[in-house]
Amino acid sequence: MDRWQGIQHVVVVGLGITGLSVVNYLQKYHPSVNVRVIDTRETPPGQEQLPAGVALHSGSWNVAWLLAADLIVANPGIALATPEIQQALAANIPVVGDIELFAWHVDKPVIAITGSNGKSTVTDLTGVMANAAGIATAVGGNIGVPALDLLAQPAELYVLELSSFQLETTSSLAVTAAAFLNLSEDHMDRYDGMAGYRQAKLRIFEHAQTAVVNADDTQTYPDAYSGRTVRFGLEQPAEFTTAQHDGKEVLLANGEVVLPTSDLSLVGRHNVANVLTVLALLDAAGVNYTNALPALKSYTGLTHRCQVVADNQGIKWVNDSKATNVASTLAALSGLTLNGTLYLLVGGVGKGADFTPLKPVLETLPLTLCCFGRDGDQFMPLHASAQRFDTMEAIIASIRPQLKVGDMVLLSPACASFDQFKNFMARGDVFAELAQRYA
C-alpha cells in the first residue's frame, strides 16, 4: 500500500526541531512533494535551517494553505481541537504527526514507551541495554532525536518515547512491544479530563504485538486488546517483579532471578519499576539481555533525572533537577532506602502548586529539609528540620561539614527553576558541579 499516492502538497504546522525533521524527511524521501510550513510564531526556531525553496508563513495561521493541502503534518504541540486544524479536518484533509510518517516508513522492529512519569529513563535504558546486547539500536522520539531523523541510522531496532500529544496523531504504528508506565494528572489544559488523557496514551497499544502494563496501576491496561499482555510491578502479582532470594531483594523475570536490586546504580523504587519495564520490553522484543546486565548495573540514569553525580566517601549526591512538580519529587522519594541522613533540596518557582502532599512522606524519612529559591518559604512548614537558604550554593556550604557515610544529598526541587536559573538543566549542572567540588 503506497500511502503517498496522490499526495502532492504537504503543509507542516510548527517548525522547531520536529518540524525541521519532517521537512528534511520529505525532501529526502519524497522530493516530488511540494512542502510548505506554517508557524504562528513571528520568528520560529529553525527557520534559518529551512532548505531553499520551502515556503514559510510565520506569525499567524494560513488557512488557505491548510485547505489546499493533501496532507497536514502537525507538531505535537498543536492540539487537534485548534479551530484551524478542525477546519482542515472538516474538509477531509488528513492530519498526522511525525510519528505517523515514521510508521509509514519503518521496516524494522519498534519498541514504544509512554506514561506520565519515567518514560525517558525507560526509553534510554532500553536503548542502552539493547545496544549492549549487540543489537544496533536507535533511540528517540519525544526524547533526544526526532523519530524521522533516526531513519538515517543503520538500526536493527528502534526505541521511541511517545507523548500523549504524539499519539493523538498516530494511528498505524505497528510495534513489537509497547509499555504504558503509569498515569497521573498532567496536561489538563489540553484534555477535557483524565479520561481523554488516558485514551490518548492507550493508542500506543493499537497495533502492538505485546502490551507491557503496570500491575500496580490498572489505568495502564488497555480497554480492549487481543495481543499478548505482560505485567511489571512492585506490589501486585506480575511477570516482571521483585522477590526475596537468599536474604536479598532480587529482580525476577518470569520466575527467574536476574540480579539483586542492590546491584543497581539507579536510585529510588520508581527506578526499580522502570528497570522491570525495560526487562519486559527487551524480553518481548526477543533481545537476550543477559550480556547487557553489566550495562544495567552501571547505568546511573539520565542527566537531571535521579542521576547519581557523585558517590564518594560513602556519600551519594543525586541530581533530580527534572523534578519540577510535586509528583516527580514524590516519585524520587518513594521507597528510598538510606543508611544515614537525607539532605533534600527543594524550592524555586512553585507555579501555584500545593506542596502539602509531601508532608506525610517527609515525616517517614531521616531528613534535613533544605529550602531555597523564590518559593522556598512554602516548604518550611512541611518538616521540623526545615532550614531556609537563599541559594543552592549556600545549602551545600552549610551542610558539607555535617555529611557522613551513608548520607544522601538529593536535589529534587518540586519547582520550576527560572527564578535563579535559565532552566532545570542549568540548575542540575550547578548542583553536579557543587557535588564534584565537595564530594
Side-chain angles (χ1 to χ4, degrees):
M1 176 182 176
D2 183 8
R3 297 178 185 273
W4 290 95
Q5 190 172 354
I7 295 177
Q8 294 178 301
H9 302 283
V10 177
V11 172
V12 178
V13 179
L15 200 49
I17 295 172
T18 301
L20 202 57
S21 77
V22 173
V23 171
N24 291 334
Y25 167 82
L26 292 171
Q27 293 242 307
K28 179 176 181 180
Y29 294 102
H30 303 282
S32 64
V33 168
N34 172 258
V35 183
R36 298 197 282 197
V37 179
I38 298 172
D39 196 303
T40 57
R41 294 168 289 190
E42 288 290 347
T43 53
Q47 64 177 343
E48 67 286 344
Q49 296 167 261
L50 268 180
V54 175
L56 169 66
H57 177 95
S58 61
S60 65
W61 285 95
N62 187 327
V63 175
W65 281 14
L66 291 177
L67 296 179
D70 300 310
L71 178 71
I72 294 169
V73 186
N75 187 284
I78 310 294
L80 290 176
T82 304
E84 291 81 2
I85 298 294
Q86 283 296 308
Q87 215 174 324
L89 288 168
N92 292 317
I93 298 166
V95 178
V96 302
D98 68 310
I99 303 302
E100 182 67 4
L101 297 188
F102 176 89
W104 293 357
H105 187 109
V106 70
D107 60 356
K108 297 290 194 300
V110 178
I111 290 173
I113 296 111
T114 196
S116 298
N117 293 297
K119 55 185 178 291
S120 294
T121 297
V122 170
T123 303
D124 187 60
L125 180 55
T126 301
V128 166
M129 290 190 67
N131 276 306
I135 310 295
T137 304
V139 179
N142 194 48
I143 175 181
V145 182
L148 290 171
D149 288 354
L150 297 178
L151 295 171
Q153 299 183 22
E156 302 170 88
L157 174 69
Y158 295 94
V159 180
L160 300 182
E161 174 187 319
L162 299 178
S163 69
S164 59
F165 296 173
Q166 289 171 311
L167 287 164
E168 284 176 29
T169 53
T170 304
S171 56
S172 36
L173 181 64
V175 299
T176 301
F180 186 172
L181 305 181
N182 45 56
L183 188 73
S184 61
E185 190 169 282
D186 205 354
H187 304 304
M188 290 300 104
D189 53 345
R190 174 93 165 220
Y191 299 101
D192 290 337
M194 286 293 286
Y197 176 46
R198 175 175 176 263
Q199 287 304 319
K201 290 208 170 284
L202 285 174
R203 292 172 68 92
I204 201 168
F205 293 137
E206 283 186 358
H207 305 288
Q209 293 177 29
T210 300
V212 177
V213 299
N214 186 345
D216 303 328
D217 185 351
T218 55
Q219 291 277 76
T220 64
Y221 286 46
D223 296 328
Y225 178 68
S226 57
R228 175 172 170 253
T229 300
V230 174
R231 301 163 299 173
F232 70 91
L234 299 174
E235 297 169 12
Q236 299 301 318
E239 289 78 17
F240 289 79
T241 187
T242 58
Q244 290 296 317
H245 181 75
D246 290 341
K248 293 182 179 179
E249 184 186 60
V250 296
L251 301 174
L252 213 59
N254 295 313
E256 298 291 325
V257 173
V258 180
L259 51 75
T261 55
S262 58
D263 283 2
L264 299 174
S265 298
L266 285 167
V267 173
R269 295 300 290 170
H270 65 298
N271 273 324
V272 175
N274 287 339
V275 169
L276 292 169
T277 313
V278 171
L279 297 179
L281 286 167
L282 292 173
D283 183 69
V287 176
N288 183 352
Y289 52 73
T290 308
N291 293 336
L293 293 181
L296 170 59
K297 289 193 279 189
S298 63
Y299 184 78
T300 56
L302 283 170
T303 309
H304 313 297
R305 293 175 176 86
C306 279
Q307 176 198 22
V308 178
V309 291
D311 190 352
N312 193 24
Q313 299 174 345
I315 302 160
K316 195 168 280 189
W317 301 70
V318 181
N319 170 18
D320 191 35
S321 185
K322 182 68 165 61
T324 57
N325 56 43
V326 172
S328 294
T329 298
L330 286 170
L333 297 174
S334 174
L336 206 58
T337 53
L338 296 154
N339 296 319
T341 300
L342 173 66
Y343 292 85
L344 177 63
L345 280 58
V346 293
V349 180
K351 300 175 289 185
D354 174 15
F355 298 114
T356 55
L358 290 168
K359 187 173 172 62
V361 177
L362 297 180
E363 287 172 351
T364 66
L365 295 166
L367 180 74
T368 295
L369 189 64
C370 306
C371 314
F372 72 105
R374 193 183 81 182
D375 292 331
D377 288 343
Q378 296 184 34
F379 292 87
M380 292 296 288
L382 300 182
H383 197 269
S385 71
Q387 301 174 36
R388 184 69 165 93
F389 300 87
D390 289 332
T391 65
M392 200 155 56
E393 289 92 333
I395 294 173
I396 304 304
S398 172
I399 67 173
R400 181 62 189 93
Q402 308 164 34
L403 296 178
K404 58 187 185 301
V405 172
D407 288 352
M408 178 185 291
V409 183
L410 170 62
L411 170 67
S412 190
C415 286
S417 58
F418 46 81
D419 56 336
Q420 297 181 340
F421 304 93
K422 181 181 177 182
N423 49 42
F424 75 83
M425 293 87 81
R427 177 171 63 188
D429 288 342
V430 169
F431 175 79
E433 183 185 318
L434 290 166
Q436 293 294 337
R437 190 188 310 167
Y438 288 103

